[in-house]
Amino acid sequence: MTEYLSTGSLPDEYQQLAKTVRDFAQNVVAPVSAEHDANHTFPYAVVDGMADMGLFGLPFPEEYGGMGGDYFALCLALEELGKVDQSVAITLEAGVSLGAMPVYRFGNEEQKQEWLPQLTSGKALAAFGLTEPGAGSDAGGTRTKAELVDGEWVINGNKQFITNSGTDITKLVTVTAVTGTKENGRKEISTILVPTSTPGFTAEPAYDKVGWNASDTHPLTFQDVRVPEANLLGERGRGYANFLRILDEGRIAIAALSVGAAQGCVDESVRYAKEREAFGRPIGANQAIEFKIARMEARAHTARAAYYDAAALMLSGKPFKKQASIAKLVASEAAMDNARDATQIFGGYGFMNEYPVARHYRDSKILEIGEGTTEVQLMLIARELGV
Ligand SMILES: Cc1cc2nc3c(=O)[nH]c(=O)nc-3n(C[C@H](O)[C@H](O)[C@H](O)COP(=O)(O)OP(=O)(O)OC[C@H]3O[C@@H](n4cnc5c(N)ncnc54)[C@H](O)[C@@H]3O)c2cc1C
């Protein structure tokens, strides 16, 4: 593994992977994107195709059914998918980095053997249950409770905005819950594995969202949900800290997805600027349009360099928290800014839902909110600087 990943000279195996996913995105994903977006339907066939390509197993070892790749490989796949369809990209991101990764990072051998082969195959999905009605940015405000009764965790509470939590192939939700009080008086938060077939677990009706319409998002209810004591994931009382570690990595993945969205907007705009004519010449012949597109490309490029840098640090075992937050911050803003500019370049057509730039316009806003809002990234960067 090279310590430094350059946007201009990726090793062959990464380039090959990116090309394979790019072809899949163009040939399999793009033709059905508008339809799933309009009908708010989960793209099962596309997810099945990604599963067959091994994308859900990309960063996991072969002994757990994975592809033996690394987190950067996942990021490259997310970037390629994000250019075309953010709903599909977030389904993969949440399935791998939020769903399977906590089991891989914090599970014991038995838990890994039970869950990872299903999850890395992509034939089953796991969801990440952290956010609650009263605990988003301040996720430590968790109220969901898990009480140990006769060798079982009895879970009661609610989670909200949980991705991939209600599909036909969702088999597992990892949830944070208050399991007691620490010596310092603070909440003891632990993580527990909850198979979705457990009585008392309900994925409530899906949200009606502004974007990411083909991504599956539900509020979850836990009413006297009983699971074995052995379903504790990682150390008791480390649940919150472990989930924060997962989010640090996840920010690099969300940055990669965002770069894809930002680049998708550039690609669409370049094509349209050459093709659309006004005042007797292509609109791209106007410097105002040319400069807008150049600035969009600069945003996508610098955001890409930021996520490559964070990924390179992570893969070489160095601290990467600040760089991951910077990457997430600049990439999500690049996506939103580029989506706004691309929509402007498309004029009235850019406001029509069937056009990819319109979808990016609606989809990109959540990139500045999910897995830590822009303000949370700024707080984390400032904290790393000791401010
Ligand atoms: C489509 C979608 C999918 C999601 N998927 C998942 C998932 O799979 N799993 C999961 O656990 N969660 C998920 N989330 C939740 C997401 O991570 C939260 O919405 C996000 O962290 C923000 O939390 P909140 O919505 O409660 O906003 P709040 O925390 O209430 O924030 C409201 C506003 O206040 C700002 N703010 C808060 N505190 C401060 C502060 N100290 N200083 C300055 N500004 C501040 C925020 O930045 C924001 O602008 C998803 C959300 C959406 C919309």
Side-chain angles (χ1 to χ4, degrees):
M1 171 59 220
T2 46
E3 195 162 303
Y4 180 70
L5 295 165
S6 163
T7 57
S9 63
L10 279 183
D12 284 350
E13 66 271 22
Y14 287 134
Q15 287 193 40
Q16 190 54 44
L17 170 76
K19 184 182 177 323
T20 306
V21 180
R22 193 177 312 135
D23 291 346
F24 176 82
Q26 274 159 14
N27 300 329
V28 179
V29 181
V32 294
S33 288
E35 191 185 330
H36 283 299
D37 176 62
N39 299 330
H40 296 215
T41 43
F42 187 75
Y44 284 103
V46 168
V47 170
D48 225 30
M50 295 198 292
D52 291 343
M53 289 165 72
L55 299 190
F56 286 90
L58 268 180
F60 302 106
E62 288 167 16
E63 61 180 305
Y64 299 119
M67 298 288 280
D70 57 34
Y71 208 82
F72 182 65
L74 170 69
C75 290
L76 286 179
L78 293 171
E79 182 181 337
E80 292 303 333
L81 292 167
K83 285 179 187 169
V84 167
D85 189 325
Q86 293 188 39
S87 286
V88 167
I90 191 61
T91 300
L92 177 66
E93 195 275 343
V96 176
S97 123
L98 300 181
M101 199 54 91
V103 180
Y104 177 61
R105 291 257 181 260
F106 308 115
N108 57 37
E109 200 47 41
E110 210 172 309
Q111 291 166 334
K112 288 184 192 175
Q113 293 292 349
E114 179 179 1
W115 288 108
L116 286 179
Q118 304 181 53
L119 302 177
T120 58
S121 75
K123 301 297 173 186
L125 288 173
F128 180 84
L130 175 66
T131 305
E132 298 189 5
S137 303
D138 181 14
T142 300
R143 291 212 182 130
T144 295
K145 279 205 171 101
E147 223 182 324
L148 204 48
V149 183
D150 299 332
E152 288 183 322
W153 293 108
V154 182
I155 307 169
N156 281 287
N158 300 91
K159 295 288 170 181
Q160 77 174 4
F161 306 147
I162 309 302
T163 305
N164 287 346
S165 59
T167 74
D168 295 348
I169 56 171
T170 304
K171 299 283 186 242
L172 178 71
V173 181
T174 55
V175 286
T176 45
V178 180
T179 49
T181 308
K182 290 186 171 175
E183 275 175 14
N184 60 9
R186 290 197 170 170
K187 287 175 183 171
E188 176 194 84
I189 298 178
S190 307
T191 311
I192 298 172
L193 297 168
V194 179
T196 51
S197 57
T198 314
F201 168 84
T202 312
E204 306 291 348
Y207 293 100
D208 181 12
K209 306 189 293 277
V210 168
W212 283 9
N213 286 336
S215 159
D216 178 80
T217 327
H218 298 261
L220 305 178
T221 306
F222 299 80
Q223 200 173 10
D224 289 328
V225 169
R226 289 171 173 270
V227 296
E229 185 176 357
N231 281 25
L232 179 72
L233 182 70
E235 210 180 303
R236 183 169 173 166
R238 294 283 303 161
Y240 182 51
N242 288 348
F243 265 29
L244 292 188
R245 156 78 211 231
I246 290 293
L247 288 175
D248 283 342
E249 297 175 3
R251 283 172 188 137
I252 307 176
I254 289 288
L257 191 166
S258 305
V259 167
Q263 192 66 53
C265 290
V266 175
D267 298 348
E268 289 289 329
S269 299
V270 168
R271 187 182 54 72
Y272 195 71
K274 289 194 232 170
E275 169 188 306
R276 175 71 174 173
E277 295 201 352
F279 300 97
R281 57 186 192 155
I283 57 168
N286 298 295
Q287 207 169 49
I289 300 280
E290 209 177 52
F291 278 13
K292 206 187 275 298
I293 294 176
R295 200 173 282 285
M296 290 163 69
E297 172 70 7
R299 287 186 198 119
H301 179 83
T302 47
R304 182 178 296 109
Y307 99 69
Y308 276 32
D309 181 52
L313 287 172
M314 176 191 159
L315 293 186
S316 57
K318 300 209 170 90
F320 63 92
K321 207 178 170 70
K322 183 180 77 178
Q323 288 78 1
S325 280
I326 290 174
K328 203 275 182 177
L329 174 77
V330 300
S332 58
E333 289 184 348
M336 193 65 237
D337 290 348
N338 281 10
R340 187 195 58 234
D341 284 352
T343 301
Q344 190 68 20
I345 288 168
F346 270 69
Y349 294 105
F351 203 60
M352 298 300 124
N353 272 328
E354 68 194 90
Y355 282 80
V357 295
R359 199 153 21 88
H360 277 309
Y361 188 71
R362 286 185 286 105
D363 286 349
S364 294
K365 184 59 209 167
I366 179 59
L367 296 168
E368 297 180 321
I369 297 169
E371 297 199 31
T373 61
T374 295
E375 292 74 20
V376 165
Q377 306 315 320
L378 293 169
M379 278 160 58
L380 292 171
I381 295 163
R383 198 176 294 161
E384 288 294 308
L385 294 173
V387 179

